[in-house]
Amino acid sequence: MSTVQTDRKSNVAVEVTLAVILLIAVAPIAWTVFLAFMPNRNIVASDWQISFWLGNFATIFADGTFMLQVLNSIMIVLGSVAVCMVVGSLAGYALSRLHPPRWLTIPALIIAAFIPLIPPMTLVPGLYLLLSEIGLIGTVPGLILVNGFLNLPFAALLMSSYFSGIPDELREAALVDGASEAKTFLLVMLPVVKPGLAAVGIFTGILAWNEFQMGLTLTSGGETAPVTVGIAGLLQPYAVTWGEMAAAGTLAAIPIIVMAVFANRQIVAGLTAGAVKG
Amino acid sequence: MRSTVEESPRVREAARSREQRPERRKRSRSTPFAILALLPFVLFGLAFAAYPLFQVARMAVSDVQIRSGQFTWEFTGLANLRQVFSEGDSWQAVGNTLFFIGATVLLSLILGLVLALLVDRAVKLLPIARNVLIWPAVVAPVVVSLMWLLILSPTAGGLNKVLRTLSLPEQGWIADGPSAMAAIVLVDVWHWTPVVFLFLYTALKAIDASTLEAARVDGAKEVELIRFVVLPALKPAIAAVVVVRIIMGVKAFDEMYLLTRGGPDGATTLVSQHIKTLFFDNLELGEASAFSLAVVLATAVILGVFLFFRSKADAR
């Protein structure tokens, strides 16, 4: 391996090209953070006026609706992550280790394979009717269920691959020792797949936090909407609130990027597995 | 079965107990727990996919009106489908989506491949690159749109500011039809190339180092190495990531909606936007549903054809 590394060390062109691409990857994020600390008149000015101003953040936090939307989003994230972890790990376990009857596995596999393929927007007319009928249209519980469901196929398939990685003897041993199926699952199998649960939790959490289409179409906006819809409301092509926009974008993006730095492994697992399967 | 697992004493013990009590093994195959564990998932699917799709299908063949908060249904057969595809807007949305998919898949594939090869050869920037390159993919699409609006806005965007500083002519960007399409393609490529990179980089790492070493010892130039060793080895990963990106392209909505609202004059309207406009703005519930179903079916057929040819190519 070391010979391969010394071969590569000399290549300045590679490092420089990569550095340029990394700058392009980071530039829009950096530009947004930069503008978040500028008053509007500096942003629309035709020359470059640099300042450090916290007024944009103050305006956003003073807006009660925005804070309510942040709370909605947090509840949607917690709720849908819980749905994905509980229902997803049970389903993943059943698909990989138990042998449920065919009449149940076949619909499950169709759902798991089909849902990630179709544009969510095609489900919206039907979901709109469904939520209206059960009285959950425009509510946080309604969005928890929809978000949870949209991420369930990914959660189930990822958990199933983690469960498949456990040697079968562990389960057999627990059963032979007299543990019930439920106890074996909860006390023996689940603790082994903690890394899988972490990946599912972090990744579905990010997806639920980022979700926009369902929040837009299944709520009437305002105080019932998630924060993505609130931020979208600031986006007008000829808007004048550039600074507030940048501040809101910074507040929404930075926590996720910090997470991407510290939970890199789980997110990479989610991005590759989630994309392969969905 | 893996032989190492077969040989372990625990498994032999388990196997023996299986032989001794075959009826127990049989019972464990169909325990109520197996059904209970999978049932919630299937119920979710029935409620949130099967039922909505059934309703979409029902609306697609009906004339649905909302009168004083009540839905009234009247069966009209294929009238909705005929109507929606007799409108130029629908075909424009289909055409835009096909162009969008072609452009974003191709560009992000090339860029992702270049990135994977670069990162694989980098030494100093390797740890930073592997981390920073996933940042765009985790940022919310809404925030991505916001960031690019701050760059591409004709009035206050950073790009026009730079052009002004350099005394170059300013551009309309998202305000003009062709450049608006270019802009949403660019934003999508910025957002999702990291996923392509991750796929191809992972596959690249899995290539046997000694194969590469042998080719280098035999005097293969770097370009020949990539052309004749690396690219053939990456073929399955490239095919997989192309499927993934096609699906993402069909689903695309957020950035396009937020940056251009499908405009100007429908120049950037993608199929999801068209469904939303028909359903929520025009209240053409039947036409929206018929178009939805057509999109679902077309996606299934295109992916089916692609996977068929891929498996045929693999078999060869």
Side-chain angles (χ1 to χ4, degrees):
Chain A
M1 278 314 269
S2 59
T3 53
V4 180
Q5 296 235 322
T6 40
D7 271 359
R8 293 170 186 181
K9 198 167 272 180
S10 55
N11 206 332
V12 183
V14 166
E15 306 275 345
V16 171
T17 321
L18 190 57
V20 171
I21 297 180
L22 288 184
L23 279 180
I24 295 171
V26 175
I29 303 170
W31 178 245
T32 305
V33 176
F34 174 70
L35 291 189
F37 294 99
M38 305 270 169
N40 251 330
R41 64 186 142 75
N42 287 16
I43 298 173
V44 295
S46 53
D47 57 340
W48 301 81
Q49 301 175 1
I50 315 290
S51 66
F52 184 81
W53 189 64
L54 292 172
N56 293 323
F57 293 98
T59 317
I60 285 181
F61 283 118
D63 181 357
T65 310
F66 187 80
M67 292 313 288
L68 277 175
Q69 288 166 340
V70 170
L71 277 180
N72 288 342
S73 275
I74 291 173
M75 284 191 285
I76 291 168
V77 166
L78 294 179
S80 57
V81 165
V83 166
C84 283
M85 283 175 125
V86 174
V87 179
S89 60
L90 276 169
Y93 183 59
L95 288 173
S96 109
R97 279 286 168 259
L98 310 173
H99 302 274
R102 277 259 169 98
W103 58 266
L104 206 54
T105 7
I106 290 171
L109 289 176
I110 292 175
I111 293 164
F114 192 61
I115 294 312
L117 299 185
I118 59 173
M121 192 57 90
T122 56
L123 288 176
V124 161
L127 285 173
Y128 192 87
L129 282 191
L130 171 72
L131 291 188
S132 304
E133 282 163 4
I134 57 177
L136 290 180
I137 193 82
T139 65
V140 169
L143 283 180
I144 287 177
L145 290 175
V146 170
N147 271 291
F149 167 68
L150 287 177
N151 295 328
L152 257 183
F154 159 74
L157 290 173
L158 192 67
M159 288 316 293
S160 151
S161 72
Y162 272 89
F163 279 119
S164 300
I166 308 176
D168 215 21
E169 55 192 276
L170 191 64
R171 196 177 93 87
E172 297 280 359
L175 289 175
V176 168
D177 286 350
S180 68
E181 284 279 7
K183 251 195 175 151
T184 307
F185 170 69
L186 273 177
L187 302 177
V188 180
M189 302 300 274
L190 215 46
V192 184
V193 294
K194 265 189 199 149
L197 279 176
V200 165
I202 289 170
F203 198 67
T204 57
I206 290 178
L207 289 182
W209 176 261
N210 289 353
E211 206 286 322
F212 173 65
Q213 277 184 60
M214 298 296 152
L216 178 74
T217 51
L218 301 178
T219 72
S220 46
E223 294 180 356
T224 58
V227 69
T228 44
V229 175
I231 294 174
L234 296 171
L235 259 81
Q236 307 295 335
Y238 297 93
V240 278
T241 56
W242 300 103
E244 282 170 44
M245 251 173 68
T250 303
L251 287 177
I254 296 305
I256 302 285
I257 290 176
V258 169
M259 222 161 138
V261 172
F262 290 104
N264 192 274
R265 265 219 344 261
Q266 285 82 359
I267 293 175
V268 168
L271 280 174
T272 44
V276 169
K277 279 137 190 171
Chain B
M1 279 300 265
R2 292 148 297 183
S3 59
T4 47
V5 175
E6 285 288 6
E7 280 154 23
S8 90
R10 261 274 186 65
V11 162
R12 249 182 279 136
E13 194 182 294
R16 214 179 304 133
S17 74
R18 217 183 294 156
E19 282 161 30
Q20 283 162 2
R21 288 178 289 172
E23 75 288 354
R24 190 189 187 287
R25 174 67 186 173
K26 218 165 217 169
R27 201 147 32 88
S28 84
R29 273 189 168 272
S30 56
T31 49
F33 185 71
I35 296 174
L36 276 180
L38 197 52
L39 203 55
F41 180 81
V42 173
L43 288 180
F44 253 99
L46 289 180
F48 287 90
Y51 181 75
L53 275 178
F54 164 74
Q55 289 288 32
V56 167
R58 193 168 148 227
M59 277 190 273
V61 293
S62 308
D63 178 27
V64 190
Q65 300 288 336
I66 307 173
R67 291 207 184 84
S68 55
Q70 294 290 313
F71 290 101
T72 62
W73 306 74
E74 192 191 323
F75 181 81
T76 54
L78 293 177
N80 285 321
L81 196 67
R82 267 199 294 272
Q83 176 61 30
V84 82
F85 279 106
S86 71
E87 288 157 8
D89 293 359
S90 302
W91 289 109
Q92 190 184 20
V94 170
N96 285 341
T97 306
L98 290 177
F99 176 84
F100 179 82
I101 291 173
T104 54
V105 170
L106 192 67
L107 287 175
S108 65
L109 183 65
I110 293 170
L111 250 176
L113 187 61
V114 168
L115 267 175
L117 290 170
L118 279 174
V119 171
D120 189 46
R121 279 158 182 72
V123 179
K124 286 203 185 74
L125 286 174
L126 177 69
I128 305 171
R130 284 175 53 176
N131 201 312
V132 168
L133 282 177
I134 70 164
W135 290 4
V138 294
V139 175
V142 170
V143 177
V144 170
S145 317
L146 180 153
M147 289 171 169
W148 281 94
L149 187 60
L150 290 172
I151 292 173
L152 295 174
S153 160
T155 50
L159 210 49
N160 268 357
K161 211 165 181 171
V162 171
L163 289 178
R164 200 149 53 215
T165 310
L166 300 173
S167 315
L168 292 167
E170 294 175 30
Q171 304 293 321
W173 305 119
I174 50 174
D176 298 333
S179 61
M181 180 52 99
I184 64 165
V185 167
L186 167 81
V187 172
D188 187 87
V189 169
W190 180 82
H191 198 175
W192 296 120
T193 295
V195 171
V196 182
F197 156 72
L198 274 180
F199 259 83
L200 299 185
Y201 182 69
T202 312
L204 206 54
K205 287 275 114 184
I207 299 176
D208 191 2
S210 61
T211 315
L212 299 177
E213 215 37 29
R216 282 204 183 93
V217 170
D218 286 347
K221 292 194 190 75
E222 204 65 3
V223 180
E224 293 169 340
L225 194 72
I226 291 169
R227 170 73 184 80
F228 296 109
V229 183
V230 175
L231 280 186
L234 287 185
K235 232 171 145 187
I238 290 175
V241 88
V242 164
V243 173
V244 167
R245 292 287 294 135
I246 289 175
I247 295 167
M248 291 168 101
V250 181
K251 290 175 163 185
F253 172 74
D254 297 3
E255 281 100 339
M256 175 272 317
Y257 173 76
L258 290 162
L259 284 172
T260 65
R261 293 280 194 281
D265 290 327
T268 55
T269 298
L270 303 180
V271 287
S272 287
Q273 169 72 42
H274 193 55
I275 295 169
K276 184 188 170 292
T277 309
L278 286 173
F279 191 82
F280 288 98
D281 304 341
N282 305 357
L283 290 176
E284 296 284 1
L285 310 194
E287 287 181 34
S289 303
F291 192 71
S292 285
L293 272 192
V295 169
V296 169
L297 288 179
T299 313
V301 168
I302 291 170
L303 284 173
V305 168
F306 187 90
L307 292 175
F308 175 74
F309 279 111
R310 202 177 116 197
S311 64
K312 248 180 113 179
D314 284 350
R316 218 179 286 145

